[in-house]
Amino acid sequence: MTKILAFAGSTRKGSFNQAIVNVAAEGAREAGAEVTVIDLADYQMPLFNEDEEAKFGIPEKAQAFKALLMSHDGFLIASPEYNSSYPALLKNAIDWASRMEEGEKPLQAYRGKVAGIMAASAGGLGGMRVLVVLRMLLENLGTIVLPNQKAIAKVNTLMEDGEITDVKAIKQLKTLGKETAELTAKLG
Ligand SMILES: Cc1cc2nc3c(=O)[nH]c(=O)nc-3n(C[C@H](O)[C@H](O)[C@H](O)COP(=O)(O)O)c2cc1C
């Protein structure tokens, strides 16, 4: 079965991006994929430092995150937009998981994988600018990013009790999840 890992680049309680990735994950599940949704709060890792890595190796939580990426065929990633780009939290986790250890192939966590990307913001652009750089980052790591992507604007008006309730947004996010699952299955 196609395995998809879903996560958001935010550890904020009540994160908009965790809310949208949960919906996309549901769409992937409905399309037949086995989906694991994680919270990066459970994978806290230090800011990457090459000297520390040389001394102590890859920290346990970073290894666990990399192992999850490696054991899944595709990803659903929702990223906040911080000053037009991705948050340090997300980039740091991606950087740690890009480090090769003995017995691994270069960029094994990323190469040949598929990603569906999305963003959410209370602003009018929905974080669409972060998707440009997130797409570039993932593709440079060897991950195939779906042409379809979703930036959900004014997301705070589309939710109730921390969950997305707007029918149109749910449909768009589920479609992105479904398409990610389908392309991942095709390439698998
Ligand atoms: C440092 C910083 C920079 C931000 N820059 C942007 C931005 O460029 N565009 C935008 O739409 N929102 C921006 N925001 C607002 C975020 O979209 C908002 O904090 C959002 O709730 C983060 O996503 P989350 O709910 O998943 O944590 C910024 C927030 C922070 C803390």
Side-chain angles (χ1 to χ4, degrees), residues 48-101:
F48 185 85
N49 173 297
E50 213 164 336
D51 292 333
E52 300 285 309
E53 183 199 33
K55 253 197 245 168
F56 306 114
I58 300 181
E60 199 184 315
K61 291 288 170 71
Q63 273 190 13
F65 176 65
K66 182 166 78 162
L68 271 176
L69 293 176
M70 289 205 289
S71 65
H72 287 75
D73 312 302
F75 315 129
L76 285 167
I77 306 175
S79 179
E81 180 177 277
Y82 279 7
N83 299 317
S84 318
S85 189
Y86 30 68
L89 172 91
L90 179 61
K91 181 63 160 52
N92 191 50
I94 288 175
D95 286 345
W96 272 117
S98 72
R99 304 298 286 168
M100 188 169 55
E101 290 178 289

Side-chain angles (χ1 to χ4, degrees), residues 16 120-127 151-159:
F16 298 145
S121 165
L125 297 179
I152 306 289
K154 298 189 177 13
V155 66
N156 53 316
T157 67
L158 311 176
M159 334 182 33

Side-chain angles (χ1 to χ4, degrees), residues 109-164:
Y110 302 104
R111 283 198 179 150
K113 306 289 174 77
V114 170
I117 59 172
M118 68 212 81
S121 165
L125 297 179
M128 67 194 294
R129 292 170 302 184
V130 68
L131 297 178
V132 176
V133 284
L134 181 60
R135 173 178 296 277
M136 186 185 72
L137 168 66
L138 291 168
E139 287 187 344
N140 287 340
L141 292 169
T143 296
I144 298 152
V145 182
L146 231 76
N148 186 16
Q149 61 185 25
K150 217 74 259 168
I152 306 289
K154 298 189 177 13
V155 66
N156 53 316
T157 67
L158 311 176
M159 334 182 33
E160 260 167 55
D161 298 327
E163 286 185 20
I164 305 293

Side-chain angles (χ1 to χ4, degrees), residues 161-180:
D161 298 327
E163 286 185 20
I164 305 293
T165 47
D166 180 77
V167 174
K168 189 173 157 213
I170 290 174
K171 189 160 181 257
Q172 290 173 335
L173 291 163
K174 278 193 173 181
T175 299
L176 182 62
K178 173 177 174 279
E179 288 176 3
T180 304

Side-chain angles (χ1 to χ4, degrees), residues 11 40-46 59 61-62:
T11 52
L40 281 188
D42 297 326
Y43 298 87
Q44 292 203 15
M45 46 192 101
K61 291 288 170 71

